[in-house]
Structures are given as structure tokens and as C-alpha cells.
Amino acid sequence: MRVIKRIKWAGWVALILFSAVTLGAIYHLVSPEIEASSGTNQITEKEEKRQDFSEDASLNVRTETKETNTYTMSISMPTLKSKSLDTPIKEWIEQQKSVFIEEVERNNAVLSADNLAYLTIDLKVETAGELYSLLFTSYQYVGKGQPTQVFKTFTVNMRTGESVQLHDIIHLNDQTSGTIRTLIKDQLMGREEWKDYVREDVLNEKLSDLDDLKWSVNKQALDIFFDQYEVAAGSVGGIEMKIPLEALRSYLNPTLLNNAQLEHMTSIEKSQLDPNGKYIALTFDDGPSPKVTPRILQTLKQHGAKATFFMLGKQVETYPQIAAQVANDGHEIANHSYGHPKLTKMTSQEMIKEMSEANTKIEMATGIEPVLFRPPYGAYNSDVVHYAKMNDYSMILWSVDSLDWKSRNSAAINDIVTNNVTNGSIVLMHDIHASTAEALPELLVKLKAEGYQFVTVSELLMLQNENGAGPHFGHVS
Ligand code: ZN
């Protein structure tokens, strides 16, 4: 998805000064405290009321976390006022837990602090009129083999409390079913990252009864989900696709989804994020690196978090598989120049070469053409802005500098970030320092407990409806 941003000059200088002064001050005030790390079998439970989900609080979500010396578990547990759904949801979660625990016990010998098993079940809620769709994403690693991603969806009519099936919202007959099958197949076979990995016979089988599909609905689209390994090779990961309701309009059940409740998509690039949500874009610069990047990827996966990696062309050239892994995990890949020079000291020609060589290496390794550019050291002048814009890049700076490059201390990194983030922040970190990888698990737990979700920079810009090539900073309050 290309997000093209146009330049907004106003306020840059103020923002730079503000961030520099504030962060500088805070950095000096915060003494790096090492928290007494508690040992094993610690169980923490957090209650979190998500009133934005429903005005009458008929949907509450509680996050239960558990840490032992062999695994971590973080599970979002909703309580609905729906008898027909509360039980199946509970049963599904219990089943995920018990299968996981069994596997963990079986693999006990290979599990340790360096090889922790994990089960993370995240919940996303989408609404369309009276319909609430609950999407659970379960990320699991049992100590051996590859982590896996599994989806589960439930849709409920909040007025009646009844569970809703696909045939309740779409009039399914031979013709409409055929259209939906075609829409799904076209997307799977048409997308570069999926088409060579899809097993068509398995897919046809899965599409034979559309009521068996995992789906959720919002005001713009019907989303369809396939687990990792379900219809494609495991390397593809879980598959999520959107069918615009526009394409299904004449088949929709008018009592459940009438025109007034739906939003016409003005563009396929419309942000899917909740405008009332709290979002942060974590960014990692100067990698990929063989020692740190994989650790960061594992932590992000464990928390269902997405981030943006500003890669150096030189590093991508040396470690193309790690770059590809970052892309496969669904993170945003961005350009941070080829060799990390100070662009402001270069001729235009050298500058262009730095950008385009990095672009080429990234595209060769990941198949992705980045749309975001961050100049090394955040150093730019009008030439840098000009060439970034010419190449359709959005120039991205940051609003919170973790100073991880300076402190190399995980507690200090956590303090700076947690004390400075606000909704819409872009956080600068580096996936080349072990201390950054070390800081991340606790940081994500803390920020999640405050209600933050972690998205890519492009997603954040779409949500903020930002126009312009940049430079962009996260919101600074
Ligand atoms: Zn850098």
C-alpha cells in the first residue's frame, strides 16, 4: 500500500525544539532504575474496561497475563452480555490454553529464559450497525519449531445477543456464493506475497461451505481470515483480506446492514484503525542485525505488535534473510539510506545514490518497495526533502527518542519511552543494540496495559489523515 504524503512545513522547527528540550530535560531527571526483577511463576492480572466498544458496557475486555520460567501468556478475555457467545468464546480460549500448556509440558526440557514459550491471544473488535465482530488472533510458540498464528472470529447482534453467521448478513445462494469465492480467490492469487504459496485444492475445499469461513465485518468491509498453514505455506503466516462491502452491496441483509450504517469507502487506503484508539508507531533503525533483529521480531510477534524498520541498504545486502523475515512478519520496511552518511554534507548526486541503492537492496531482499525514508541522524535540508519527495517517499522523523544508542540500558530506555509517549507518537529505537531487545518485552507489556496498540508508521499516518511528504513527527502533546 503506498501512502504518499505531501509536505507540511508548519511547526517543524517548534516540534524539533520542543522534543529536544523536553527529552533532554527528562533524560537528565530520570535516573535509570533497575527494577527488582521478580522471579518465576508470577501471575499478574489486569482489568481494562473498553467502554469504546459499547456504550452500555455490554462488552468488557480483561487482559490476563501470566509469566513462569518456561512460558508467558497474555490473553484478552471479553465478557459479552450474550449467552449464545460467552460460552463458545470461553471454551475456545480454554482449549487454546490447554493445548498450549500440554505442549509446553512436553517440551519442558528445551524451554528456558532464552527460549520461552508464549501464548498471546489478542482481541480486535469491529462494529457495523448492531453487529459486533470479535477477532481473536492467537500467537503461539511452544519452544520448538515455528511460531504459529491462528484466528477465531465471532459476530454477535448486540441488540438481540444472538450469534450471527455469514448467511445472516449475506444472502447466500449459488450466484452470490460464487461471487464471494471469486473475490477471495482473486485476492489470494493476485497478491505477490501469497500467490506462489497458496494451495489451490485446499483453498477450494475451504471455500466449499462459506459459513465455515472466519470473518468479521465493519462499516467498510467484510474481512476474511485464514490461519497460518490453512490454505498456504506456513512462511506466509496468517492471511487477512478485505472484501469491500461495496462489492457485496446488493447481497447484504438490509435489516442488519443497511446503507445508513455503512460508510462508503472513499479509497482502499482508508485507515482501518479506530479513531478513538491509542496508537504508537515503534521504529527500529540501522538494522537488520543478526543478533538483535530476530529477538525484537520474536517479542513483537509475542505481543501481536507491528513496527517499522528503517533499514540500511548495506545491512540488508549482508543479511537479506533477516530483512525478508521482518517483511514476512508483516512489519513495515523503510529506507534509512545505504551506508548511514550525513546527507546534508553530500552532493545531490551522492544523496540520490544513497536513497536509491538502499531502495534496490531492500526490494531485492524483501520484494517491498519502501515508501518511507528517514535520513541518518535525522539530518536534512531542503535538498533531502526535495529528493525524498521526488522519489515518492514520505520523510519520517520521530517524536520520542528512546536514546537507546546512548544509554544502552534497558531500564533507562523503558523509562524514557513510557514517560514520553502519547497517542500518535513515533518512537525511535535501534535494532542493533542488545539492550534495546532486552527493553522491549517489559516496554510492550507496560504500554499495552496503558491501552496502547502498536502500528506501522504508514498506518499511523493514515489514521491521522496526514498529507505531505514530510518530515513527519508523531504527535507531541
Ligand atoms: Zn540511523
Side-chain angles (χ1 to χ4, degrees):
M1 209 180 322
R2 281 185 88 77
V3 188
I4 295 159
K5 304 289 158 201
R6 297 288 153 240
I7 302 183
K8 257 190 196 167
W9 285 94
W12 292 355
V13 177
L15 280 171
I16 300 169
L17 286 175
F18 182 85
S19 328
V21 170
T22 319
L23 286 176
I26 286 164
Y27 186 68
H28 289 293
L29 286 173
V30 173
S31 60
E33 266 169 52
I34 313 287
E35 283 193 16
S37 67
S38 43
T40 56
N41 292 314
Q42 177 202 11
I43 299 174
T44 42
E45 283 203 21
K46 280 176 225 107
E47 287 256 6
E48 196 188 347
K49 276 206 173 171
R50 310 276 287 264
Q51 281 157 331
D52 48 321
F53 285 162
S54 67
E55 280 146 24
D56 57 352
S58 43
L59 170 59
N60 287 324
V61 181
R62 192 161 60 88
T63 309
E64 182 190 295
T65 59
K66 182 173 176 180
E67 290 174 28
T68 76
N69 50 0
T70 52
Y71 68 84
T72 65
M73 216 188 245
S74 167
I75 295 172
S76 294
M77 306 247 260
T79 321
L80 286 160
K81 279 180 187 150
S82 162
K83 287 219 168 68
S84 58
L85 274 184
D86 268 334
T87 311
I89 289 173
K90 247 177 224 132
E91 279 172 3
W92 179 77
I93 289 176
E94 284 311 316
Q95 183 234 346
Q96 290 288 306
K97 277 162 82 173
S98 66
V99 171
F100 172 74
I101 297 291
E102 252 172 56
E103 286 290 321
V104 165
E105 278 165 9
R106 191 169 306 143
N107 297 341
N108 203 36
V110 298
L111 293 168
S112 66
D114 292 328
N115 187 38
L116 274 184
Y118 59 79
L119 172 66
T120 299
I121 300 181
D122 277 340
L123 170 64
K124 189 174 160 194
V125 180
E126 298 201 283
T127 63
E130 294 168 351
L131 303 183
Y132 277 54
S133 281
L134 279 65
L135 164 67
F136 291 92
T137 311
S138 168
Y139 303 89
Q140 232 182 87
Y141 172 67
V142 292
K144 278 181 186 168
Q146 293 298 313
T148 55
Q149 190 182 359
V150 168
F151 299 107
K152 183 76 182 172
T153 57
F154 298 92
T155 297
V156 60
N157 180 330
M158 282 306 238
R159 188 175 47 82
T160 62
E162 293 294 314
S163 150
V164 176
Q165 306 304 313
L166 193 61
H167 69 251
D168 296 323
I169 63 162
I170 298 175
H171 178 60
L172 289 180
N173 59 24
D174 285 352
Q175 192 210 331
T176 56
S177 301
T179 307
I180 292 169
R181 287 190 188 103
T182 308
L183 287 166
I184 293 174
K185 283 171 93 168
D186 282 355
Q187 284 206 36
L188 276 170
M189 304 306 203
R191 292 255 300 251
E192 207 57 47
E193 70 263 42
W194 295 335
K195 65 173 189 198
D196 295 333
Y197 303 97
V198 175
R199 296 166 56 197
E200 210 176 341
D201 50 334
V202 180
L203 177 63
N204 286 334
E205 175 66 33
K206 286 283 166 198
L207 295 178
S208 60
D209 186 353
L210 294 179
D211 261 324
D212 288 345
L213 287 177
K214 291 182 281 281
W215 60 275
S216 69
V217 69
N218 57 46
K219 288 171 183 153
Q220 296 105 30
L222 174 73
D223 295 348
I224 306 285
F225 305 90
F226 294 104
D227 297 341
Q228 189 172 14
Y229 299 103
E230 192 175 350
V231 294
S235 58
V236 171
I239 291 175
E240 314 183 27
M241 67 172 73
K242 289 183 184 308
I243 301 181
L245 289 183
E246 210 60 69
L248 303 169
R249 187 160 294 275
S250 46
Y251 315 150
L252 298 176
N253 175 345
T255 24
L256 286 178
L257 293 168
N258 65 48
N259 268 341
Q261 293 161 342
L262 304 179
E263 279 167 19
H264 296 261
M265 297 243 300
T266 46
S267 124
I268 50 163
E269 290 186 345
K270 192 161 173 175
S271 170
Q272 294 301 318
L273 303 183
D274 174 2
N276 302 313
K278 287 169 81 180
Y279 297 101
I280 295 177
L282 300 175
T283 66
F284 296 95
D285 287 14
D286 300 357
S289 80
K291 288 218 170 113
V292 180
T293 312
R295 287 178 65 187
I296 288 179
L297 289 179
Q298 190 174 350
T299 307
L300 292 172
K301 191 171 257 180
Q302 212 165 329
H303 291 274
K306 291 286 178 269
T308 304
F309 289 76
F310 287 88
M311 295 185 174
L312 292 177
K314 201 169 72 180
Q315 292 297 107
V316 175
E317 191 173 27
T318 318
Y319 306 108
Q321 285 98 336
I322 302 176
Q325 184 58 47
V326 177
N328 280 339
D329 281 8
H331 302 294
E332 181 160 26
I333 312 278
N335 185 333
H336 191 41
S337 83
Y338 178 81
H340 212 272
K342 209 164 228 173
L343 296 177
T344 47
K345 302 224 156 103
M346 296 185 119
T347 65
S348 313
Q349 223 166 9
E350 289 168 329
M351 207 181 277
I352 294 168
K353 202 170 163 225
E354 276 293 329
M355 281 186 206
S356 69
E357 275 197 1
N359 200 85
T360 310
K361 299 295 174 202
I362 290 171
E363 214 182 337
M364 272 167 57
T366 66
I368 289 170
E369 196 186 343
V371 295
L372 307 177
F373 177 74
R374 175 177 282 164
Y377 312 101
Y380 65 93
N381 56 21
S382 56
D383 275 357
V384 176
V385 176
H386 175 72
Y387 290 113
K389 191 181 168 188
M390 256 182 54
N391 288 297
D392 272 348
Y393 277 117
S394 284
M395 202 163 103
I396 304 296
L397 293 174
W398 56 85
S399 55
V400 177
D401 184 347
S402 68
L403 297 172
D404 59 345
W405 51 275
K406 195 167 162 186
S407 73
R408 309 285 181 97
N409 176 306
S410 60
I413 295 168
N414 280 348
D415 280 344
I416 290 186
V417 177
T418 45
N419 287 330
N420 290 284
V421 286
T422 167
N423 186 19
S425 287
I426 297 176
V427 180
L428 171 65
M429 289 186 280
H430 296 81
D431 55 331
I432 51 170
H433 306 305
S435 45
T436 305
E438 227 161 81
L440 204 57
E442 196 184 315
L443 183 63
L444 292 186
V445 168
K446 270 191 193 161
L447 295 175
K448 250 179 146 174
E450 288 175 31
Y452 286 110
Q453 286 174 272
F454 308 96
V455 297
T456 66
V457 170
S458 284
E459 286 175 311
L460 195 67
L461 292 182
M462 272 191 269
L463 179 76
Q464 295 170 347
N465 252 326
E466 291 278 356
N467 295 309
H472 286 279
F473 301 84
H475 286 175
V476 181
S477 56

